[in-house]
Amino acid sequence: MNKPIDARLLQTAEAFADYLKNAAARIDVAAEAKAHGDGARVGISRPHESAQLHVAGEATYIDDIPELAGTLHCALGLSPVANGRLTGMNLEAIRTIPGVVAVLSAQDIPGTNDCGSIIHDDPILCAGDIRHLGQPVFAVIAESRDIARRAAAKAKSVLTIEAEPPVLTPRQAHEKGQYVLPPMHLARSTNEGGARAAIARAPHRLKGSFDVGGQEQFYLEGQISYAIPKEAGAMHVYCSTQHPSEMQHMVAHALHLHANEVHVECRRMGGGFGGKESQSGLFACVAAVAANHLKRPVKLRLDRDDDFMITGRRHCFWYEYEVGYDDEGHILGAEITMVSRAGHSADLSGPVMTRAMCHFDNAYWLPDVSMHGFSGKTNTQSNTAFRGFGGPQGAIAIENIMDSVGRALGRDPLDVRRTNFYGQTERNVTPYDQVVSDNIIDKLVTQLEDSSDYRARRAAIEAFNATSPVLKRGLALAPLKFGISFNVKHFNQAGALVHVYTDGSILVNHGGTEMGQGLNTKVAQVVAHELGVSFESVRATATDTTKVANTSATAASTGADLNGKAAQDAARQIRERLAACAATRHGGEASAVRFANDKVEVNGRTIDFATLVGEAYIDRVQLWSDGFYATPGLSWDREKMKGNPFYYFAYGAAVSEVIIDTLTGEWKLLRADILHDAGRSLNPAVDIGQVEGAFIQGMGWLTTEELVWHPQSGKLTTHAPSTYKIPTANDCPPVFNVQLFEGDNFKDSIHRSKAVGEPPLLLPFSVFYAIRDAVSAAGNHKSDPPLRAPATSEAILDAITAVQSAAPSAA
């Protein structure tokens, strides 16, 4: 039975909800509105549209939806080994457990047993080959979730498996030539002989390898789907997903139905970070298959352990590289091999590797470069999308090279980075042949260098380290250039519906999903601005495949760009119809009618927006409209890996200062200064929140979040908060200066804004290289620190031992 709510807690929640309700006033909305023009609704800091609901506990997630009568619960029986062949299942032993209604296996799927996102190589339930420890083999459906979970936990005793040794690391897969996809190659030559010849001719050469770990999305709301059978065999699925249309297609294939018979809905997610782009499909399919089989509603909600053991995460990468450079640090030639841990199936590993290779250049002109990408097939969870989608893994490789070149030349790595920056009118073409026409990196870095007192702090840190034998400080500035658009051209489209009701209120529905990033808030602002009404007049509804069809995933930082433009298009059509109606009724030209502040100015008169809407209804004017947007100017040759895959680039930079204990490997971030390019921000408060969150999340990836698989069994041993350490509020620096760079987007994006979800995840490179700088100081800067990522305390101690061994005179 539910306990009664403590009145004091309710009062606190209500008080905090009121605090959030008035947040806009604290940010001085009036001043921002004045700066953007009378009646502006974009460019203004507003609280998240669901902020009050979150605080009051009223925001509805999938598990909060009241369960229909007869709802059953599902849990998955998982493989206890990482590699082998399933030779038998004694499922009758589970079917006889009291409370168990059914146990389903692959043969019970009426349609296709596949949930592969691009390549159909990923079974919903194991059909013979065991691919990783934790692979779903059967589904238990029971009267309660507890019964289902307890029954599913008996998998080890009912499965017969012929086990084989697992392949777990990308290097192992590479050595075996074992890949989920064919290798990729991207090269650019500006001189005879290409990268190899340029490296051979260079005055200096650097050769090395580097490891970067993966990262668990650790969304607060785990994977969950609730499937409800409808008449005539149709299915309604509530799913926590970033891609409702893909879930619709997967469920339709699994049930052997048409897409119009499957309805997928998602009001909001408790976080996604890429982990619910493709991998929510397995759970939606299992719940739907069970509901179809039993003709009863079925809910499948994973606990955290099972979520870790079943789903994939950010791809870890292993690199081998060689570069040639001159006395100033100019990179003259570079060759790099990137090998990712793809896991047991392709999932999104191909697009992730493509984006990694397209971000190896980061902010730098690389005249002769040769890249080779391999997606290693391993007996681990199938890795997938994660905020940044390969971009961070590509960019960190060149940042490691820049840092090492600076140390080899005895120069500040920032100066080497500056030396290699892209130019404005020359040295401005990427290795994949896209012109960098919107370059602001030099101006942005100069501004941050000055505002953060980088040079003075560098001198102060050197003085501190000279007198501190145990504690060492480090400082680093890292820039970023991040391409915005989906790798696949046809994904760059979106639709929206806008309804205006006779009382003047407005409803907007679009194809993007809200996962806490403020997408619905921004889209509502766009619609309010276009129609000249207050933000409070606009309401966004759940993402729904029956309203906007064939949507793209909310990913690649395109949510506001695509859906904002589509909603603007729909609202514009309604505004034009209303303007024509106003001119017909009140005189004047439709083009002269103005909408602002919930008022309409027409032929010298001012009337309420709601009044005009009522008049339009009487005149039988259509008060709803659909909108559509397709990003222009994109092209990509997948075979040649050349073209214009990005509509524009976002830029940014961060300065981080750390202190490390050379005896324990412990470290702390003392200060972070960030300057990020969000174009003409739609909502500065939301964007700054995104920058802050991405910075801390990326810092976790590079420092504390370590994934460890048992080398023999293949079990992921870091599968719970007790062993997998995400950052907390205590890890935020005491000095955290975040500012948005002022300037419009060069391209015609939605109100000249720029995407801000993924690019800031590259900003905490500065934390990793500040730690590397402090480790280098522990060896009197005599050698290049062999620091791996994540830079855990163990990794830091290993690197300190290495640099001190290379420099016996170190303090």
Side-chain angles (χ1 to χ4, degrees):
M1 179 177 290
N2 293 330
K3 294 181 179 179
I5 297 175
D6 188 320
R8 292 170 300 175
L9 294 177
L10 184 60
Q11 290 169 1
T12 303
E14 290 175 343
F16 195 57
D18 290 339
Y19 173 81
L20 286 171
K21 187 175 182 179
N22 296 317
R26 299 195 308 278
I27 306 170
D28 198 354
V29 173
E32 289 188 358
K34 184 177 181 180
H36 287 80
D38 185 43
R41 296 295 178 263
V42 295
I44 297 171
S45 296
R46 291 195 177 276
H48 191 286
E49 49 94 24
S50 295
Q52 291 174 262
L53 299 177
H54 291 314
V55 174
E58 296 178 14
T60 301
Y61 295 89
I62 305 299
D63 202 36
D64 298 317
I65 297 171
E67 294 174 4
L68 297 177
T71 293
L72 299 172
H73 297 265
C74 182
L76 297 170
L78 311 181
S79 168
V81 302
N83 188 20
R85 181 74 184 170
L86 179 65
T87 59
M89 294 188 290
N90 180 22
L91 298 183
E92 286 304 317
I94 297 179
R95 290 188 177 104
T96 58
I97 295 174
V100 170
V101 176
V103 183
L104 306 179
S105 62
Q107 66 184 15
D108 296 304
I109 298 173
T112 306
N113 181 24
D114 178 79
C115 56
S117 181
I118 300 174
I119 297 176
H120 302 301
D121 63 346
D122 199 345
I124 299 168
L125 295 175
C126 175
D129 291 329
I130 297 294
R131 300 171 169 212
H132 70 94
L133 195 154
Q135 180 181 0
V137 180
F138 59 87
V140 178
I141 300 91
E143 296 290 348
S144 73
R145 183 169 178 268
D146 186 59
I147 293 172
R149 289 185 63 230
R150 289 178 182 275
K154 296 183 179 294
K156 188 174 183 179
S157 64
V158 302
L159 300 179
T160 304
I161 300 171
E162 294 177 356
E164 297 178 8
V167 174
L168 300 175
T169 71
R171 290 189 68 176
Q172 285 178 311
H174 191 47
E175 290 166 0
K176 288 178 172 287
Q178 188 171 295
Y179 311 113
V180 296
L181 297 162
M184 300 179 185
H185 304 281
L186 196 168
R188 190 258 297 279
S189 298
T190 60
N191 295 288
E192 186 177 351
R196 291 309 315 166
I199 294 169
R201 290 192 298 264
H204 307 284
R205 284 179 291 280
L206 174 70
K207 190 174 184 179
S209 62
F210 185 43
D211 283 282
V212 174
Q215 185 180 22
E216 167 64 31
Q217 288 90 356
F218 219 103
Y219 25 67
L220 291 181
E221 177 198 31
Q223 297 279 4
I224 180 171
S225 288
Y226 184 27
I228 303 170
K230 295 295 183 179
E231 63 182 22
M235 189 64 62
H236 186 180
V237 183
Y238 293 96
C239 183
S240 182
T241 180
Q242 295 171 236
H243 201 343
S245 286
E246 186 169 28
M247 299 307 103
Q248 178 190 34
H249 299 156
M250 287 183 179
V251 169
H253 292 155
L255 296 181
H256 198 61
L257 297 174
H258 294 294
N260 67 357
E261 298 172 289
V262 178
H263 173 195
V264 177
E265 183 176 348
C266 178
R267 172 61 182 93
R268 61 172 60 84
M269 284 169 281
F273 307 114
K276 296 175 181 175
E277 181 175 343
S278 62
Q279 298 219 341
S280 45
L282 186 151
F283 314 104
C285 288
V286 170
V289 167
N292 177 71
H293 185 81
L294 297 168
K295 308 306 178 188
R296 291 173 64 178
V298 174
K299 180 187 288 187
L300 171 52
R301 172 168 64 89
L302 294 186
D303 68 2
R304 186 66 63 181
D305 280 330
D306 285 351
D307 203 319
F308 263 84
M309 299 304 290
I310 298 171
T311 63
R313 43 199 61 86
R314 185 188 297 282
H315 294 68
C316 74
F317 270 57
W318 172 71
Y319 314 85
E320 276 191 326
Y321 57 82
E322 186 173 7
V323 297
Y325 57 97
D326 63 17
D327 293 341
E328 298 300 312
H330 290 106
I331 303 299
L332 305 177
E335 182 166 23
I336 185 166
T337 294
M338 306 182 187
V339 186
S340 71
R341 178 192 274 126
H344 70 88
S345 68
D347 197 84
L348 297 172
S349 294
V352 165
M353 182 58 74
T354 299
R355 188 166 283 254
M357 295 172 76
C358 288
H359 282 78
F360 173 63
D361 61 322
N362 195 19
Y364 311 113
W365 159 251
L366 304 175
D368 289 271
V369 61
S370 180
M371 292 176 261
H372 316 284
F374 300 88
S375 300
K377 185 175 184 178
T378 55
N379 295 116
T380 57
Q381 295 81 3
S382 189
N383 285 328
T384 189
F386 196 120
R387 194 177 194 173
F389 202 80
Q393 293 98 310
I396 198 170
I398 193 65
E399 290 302 328
N400 210 62
I401 289 168
M402 293 293 174
D403 197 68
S404 294
V405 167
R407 298 191 188 286
L409 293 174
R411 302 183 65 197
D412 189 321
L414 173 57
D415 295 328
V416 172
R417 289 181 165 98
R418 278 189 171 283
T419 295
N420 287 281
F421 277 167
Y422 274 111
Q424 295 281 352
T425 57
E426 57 181 7
R427 294 162 44 94
N428 66 337
V429 180
T430 67
Y432 45 91
D433 287 351
Q434 179 163 350
V435 176
V436 183
S437 55
D438 57 358
N439 185 9
I440 58 171
I441 192 62
D442 188 72
K443 180 180 179 181
L444 186 150
V445 168
T446 297
Q447 182 177 328
L448 179 63
E449 182 182 349
D450 292 342
S451 65
S452 65
D453 295 323
Y454 177 86
R455 300 293 175 178
R457 289 165 63 196
R458 169 65 73 195
I461 286 171
E462 289 177 1
F464 173 86
N465 288 338
T467 60
S468 178
V470 175
L471 301 180
K472 299 291 182 182
R473 292 194 178 195
L475 184 72
L477 187 153
L480 72 87
K481 173 182 69 69
F482 195 92
I484 302 298
S485 291
F486 282 102
N487 296 49
V488 181
K489 180 180 176 180
H490 65 262
F491 290 167
N492 295 282
Q493 59 177 299
L497 284 173
V498 173
H499 298 319
V500 178
Y501 295 96
T502 54
D503 64 354
S505 65
I506 298 159
L507 195 70
V508 57
N509 184 271
H510 57 86
T513 53
E514 175 62 56
M515 61 192 94
Q517 83 278 38
L519 174 59
N520 284 344
T521 306
K522 287 184 174 181
V523 171
Q525 285 181 269
V526 167
V527 171
H529 183 87
E530 196 68 20
L531 293 173
V533 300
S534 64
F535 175 77
E536 292 73 19
S537 297
V538 183
R539 179 170 175 261
T541 61
T543 312
D544 189 324
T545 57
T546 65
K547 294 181 180 178
V548 177
N550 310 319
T551 60
S552 295
T554 305
S557 297
T558 61
D561 280 8
L562 296 177
N563 296 287
K565 276 283 194 180
Q568 182 187 47
D569 179 45
R572 175 190 53 78
Q573 295 176 56
I574 297 172
R575 176 173 52 78
E576 289 174 352
R577 293 177 198 143
L578 289 172
C581 174
T584 299
R585 274 183 169 259
H586 303 289
E589 297 293 328
S591 59
V593 178
R594 294 290 177 264
F595 295 76
N597 300 317
D598 295 303
K599 303 290 184 181
V600 181
E601 294 181 7
V602 50
N603 196 29
R605 295 185 58 192
T606 299
I607 60 176
D608 291 336
F609 177 81
T611 299
L612 177 59
V613 168
E615 293 175 345
Y617 175 73
I618 296 298
D619 292 347
R620 297 186 297 178
V621 174
Q622 182 180 331
L623 293 173
W624 64 268
S625 184
D626 63 313
F628 182 76
Y629 177 73
T631 309
L634 301 179
S635 65
W636 184 245
D637 187 321
R638 189 175 60 181
E639 299 301 321
K640 296 179 180 178
M641 296 196 75
K642 302 288 183 179
N644 287 275
F646 306 120
Y647 187 39
Y648 61 85
F649 296 99
Y651 300 85
V655 176
S656 292
E657 182 178 344
V658 304
I659 188 166
I660 67 170
D661 186 325
T662 60
L663 300 180
T664 66
E666 294 174 284
W667 68 278
K668 184 172 179 62
L669 177 60
L670 301 175
R671 175 178 170 181
D673 295 80
I674 295 171
L675 184 59
H676 190 75
D677 165 35
R680 189 192 296 172
S681 173
L682 291 172
N683 187 320
V686 166
D687 285 348
I688 286 174
Q690 285 288 288
V691 172
E692 292 172 343
F695 182 86
I696 298 301
Q697 186 175 51
M699 182 179 76
W701 167 48
L702 294 173
T703 59
T704 63
E705 298 183 44
E706 186 173 30
L707 295 162
V708 179
W709 282 265
H710 190 281
Q712 278 79 47
S713 70
K715 180 178 182 179
L716 178 63
T717 60
T718 51
H719 58 84
S722 58
T723 51
Y724 185 81
K725 296 298 183 182
I726 64 171
T728 68
N730 291 331
D731 296 300
C732 294
V735 180
F736 199 10
N737 301 317
V738 180
Q739 187 176 356
L740 298 180
F741 183 78
E742 293 186 5
D744 292 356
N745 192 343
F746 175 76
K747 291 289 189 177
D748 182 25
S749 58
I750 183 68
H751 290 286
R752 299 287 176 172
S753 64
K754 285 191 178 184
V756 76
E758 293 181 313
L761 201 130
L762 280 65
L763 294 169
F765 287 179
S766 58
V767 176
F768 181 80
Y769 291 106
I771 294 174
R772 202 170 191 251
D773 185 48
V775 171
S776 180
N780 287 339
H781 301 294
K782 298 295 184 182
S783 64
D784 199 33
L787 184 64
R788 64 184 180 271
T792 60
S793 294
E794 292 87 350
I796 291 171
L797 282 177
D798 288 345
I800 290 171
T801 299
V803 298
Q804 290 182 340
S805 298
S809 61

